[in-house]
Amino acid sequence: MKHIRIFSLFAVLLALTACGGTDPDVPEETIEVTDYVFSKPSFVFGFSGQKRYSYCPSVIANADGTSHVYFCGNPNQGTMVDNIYHIVENANGTHTTAVSVLQPSLSWDSHHTCDPSVIEGSFKMDGTTYKYALFFLSNPKEYYYNEIGVAFSNDLEAASWVKYPQQIVKKTWPDEGDQSLGGNSKSWGVGQPSAVSLDKGGKVLLVYTIGDASGTRLAYRQMDLSDMSNPELGIARDMNAAGLDNLNGASDYTCNSDFAISPDDNKIIMVRPVQPHPSAYPAYIPVAQEVDYMDLDSFLSGIGRWTALARIDETLSGFPRNHNAGLSRDSFGHVKDWETPTVYFTVSKQAPDVNASTGNHAEWTYHIYKTKLSKRVRTVTRPKT
């Protein structure tokens, strides 16, 4: 029986070989396969060696190879209060000194001022026409919820910006104070704005996160902010999330995303977190970011389906957390090569390297990196089907 089994196995192997693609009688075909591959990430900025964080970049790329980078940071070591900072990143990787350009200052904006998104346009307020708008998240110190505001300047390197005094997107519930979700849970509110110019003037597409009793989601508005004495804030519509998959291959929801458009190609691209969040500390930030695209007119109509290009995760960055990403765009929030964007993203360490109970918070490891997506077309020969 032993010899019979060996012979039978040999016969099967011969049969399998005879059915393989090496048979010269089997026709073959050559096809093109497209891959999207991220470059090795490079360090951009971090308050290294300090109990300070830098995250959530908004990036304007200039023709000379420099970039304006706006991001969230805390001015005082060990204290988690957000300001918006600015640096100029040079083509050789060096950068200017980080300067806090927007801080809490108003009744509704008295605690955290964060999540910048900067675009060029034409915005008139109190008799002055401004060239740039900076959208941001903030919240009142006595409450948990967030809302969205805007500030203006005529200089991307301004040390301070002029705030519009009111929120331009308010929380979704009418009652004063926080919205309870049961127990100690409260609604997050609205924030994490991402703005692009629709006409290189005052018309703006604003996409932002909502977290309330109806769940977490992205919404968008088409606004006209050309005259801030009578701003047209548009109607909020939930973004279509069709086509987005989570880490387990199931349908995903999303939040905290950045956007850019290519009007000539009728495309909108998005960099977003991929769910679910991990269970280990810090469990409140994701492990991966993904770049997706859709036709712009489909997006604005609330239809269409997202297509994924590539993901940033630990295998690429070397860090277990990859979060709060931004796309490198021109001053209007536009990109020319929408398939090959540069992505700025935030990294973080995880337990046991960080531990909130000892004061060794994960936030002190929030640093900004960047990577560029490349499109690679290969030819592959295979048996013809």
Side-chain angles (χ1 to χ4, degrees), residues 52-99:
R52 299 176 69 188
Y53 45 76
S54 51
Y55 71 107
C56 198
S58 174
V59 183
I60 294 177
N62 299 316
D64 63 1
T66 63
S67 293
H68 293 276
V69 183
Y70 301 84
F71 60 90
C72 296
N74 59 316
N76 300 315
Q77 285 207 56
T79 301
M80 294 187 187
V81 172
D82 291 351
N83 284 195
I84 292 175
Y85 282 79
H86 169 261
I87 61 171
V88 175
E89 179 192 20
N90 298 312
N92 64 2
T94 61
H95 57 77
T96 59
T97 301
V99 176

Side-chain angles (χ1 to χ4, degrees), residues 198-311:
L198 292 174
D199 66 348
K200 298 186 178 182
K203 292 183 180 179
V204 176
L205 171 65
L206 186 71
V207 190
Y208 56 94
T209 302
I210 299 177
D212 59 16
S214 297
T216 300
R217 59 205 184 271
L218 285 177
Y220 67 95
R221 294 171 182 250
Q222 296 186 60
M223 299 179 164
D224 189 340
L225 304 183
S226 55
D227 181 3
M228 294 305 295
S229 65
N230 185 31
E232 297 178 15
L233 302 181
I235 299 172
R237 293 181 170 88
D238 288 350
M239 189 196 82
N240 180 14
L244 301 181
D245 292 336
N246 66 17
L247 294 172
N248 302 317
S251 295
D252 207 356
Y253 72 93
T254 195
C255 56
N256 196 11
S257 303
D258 195 31
F259 294 81
I261 63 172
S262 177
D264 292 343
D265 297 313
N266 187 35
K267 290 292 186 289
I268 182 168
I269 60 171
M270 165 177 66
V271 59
R272 68 171 184 102
V274 187
Q275 313 298 334
H277 284 194
S279 57
Y281 174 82
Y284 43 85
I285 52 176
V287 300
Q289 299 288 307
E290 182 176 272
V291 176
D292 306 271
Y293 73 91
M294 177 190 288
D295 286 347
L296 177 59
D297 56 6
S298 295
F299 177 94
L300 295 175
S301 299
I303 59 175
R305 186 175 184 85
W306 292 101
T307 299
L309 292 179
R311 285 180 180 175

